[in-house]
């Protein structure tokens, strides 16, 4: 048994984050910036709660860009996807 009382929730977050990475990838291919904004907004809040600051910081920056009316570039979206996958692979 884990000493981490949040272990099960972190595990669920990991699965969600990997699904979010796929959703971001699909949305980027479709140029669906509304979906990208929704996913990045959700990650901006949730990632930091579980200590995944790299994901949280990248998602917050993207969320801020949307708030300012300037969607992120494809490279920025791909960087968030890569950060999610890297951090979640390291956590598994």
């Amino acid at each position: 048994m884990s000493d981490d009382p949040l272990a099960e929730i972190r595990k669920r977050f990991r699965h969600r984050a990997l699904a979010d990475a796929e959703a971001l990838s699909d949305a980027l291919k479709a140029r669906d910036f509304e979906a990208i904004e929704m996913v990045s907004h959700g990650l901006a809040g949730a990632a930091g709660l579980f200590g995944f600051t790299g994901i949280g910081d990248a998602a917050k920056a993207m969320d801020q860009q949307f708030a300012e009316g300037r969607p992120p570039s494809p490279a920025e979206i791909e960087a968030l996807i890569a950060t999610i996958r890297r951090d979640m692979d390291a956590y598994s």
Side-chain angles (χ1 to χ4, degrees):
M1 183 157 181
S2 172
D3 291 337
D4 180 1
L6 299 178
E8 185 58 35
I9 296 170
R10 286 180 206 277
K11 182 178 175 183
R12 285 190 300 221
F13 174 79
R14 180 181 183 275
H15 290 291
R16 175 194 159 194
L18 291 171
D20 284 349
E22 290 305 312
L24 286 168
S25 181
D26 291 345
L28 178 58
K29 289 175 191 164
R31 312 259 327 138
D32 183 350
F33 286 94
E34 185 175 319
I36 293 166
E37 182 176 14
M38 268 187 11
V39 172
S40 64
H41 181 77
L43 281 168
L49 289 174
F50 297 107
F52 298 109
T53 56
I55 296 169
D57 290 347
K60 284 177 191 172
M62 193 172 293
D63 195 38
Q64 183 62 38
Q65 286 179 273
F66 277 113
E68 294 170 357
R70 51 183 185 91
S73 70
E76 290 168 315
I77 299 163
E78 289 169 357
L80 175 57
I81 294 166
T83 299
I84 294 167
R85 290 179 176 152
R86 181 196 68 226
D87 289 1
M88 294 300 97
D89 284 348
Y91 182 70
S92 63

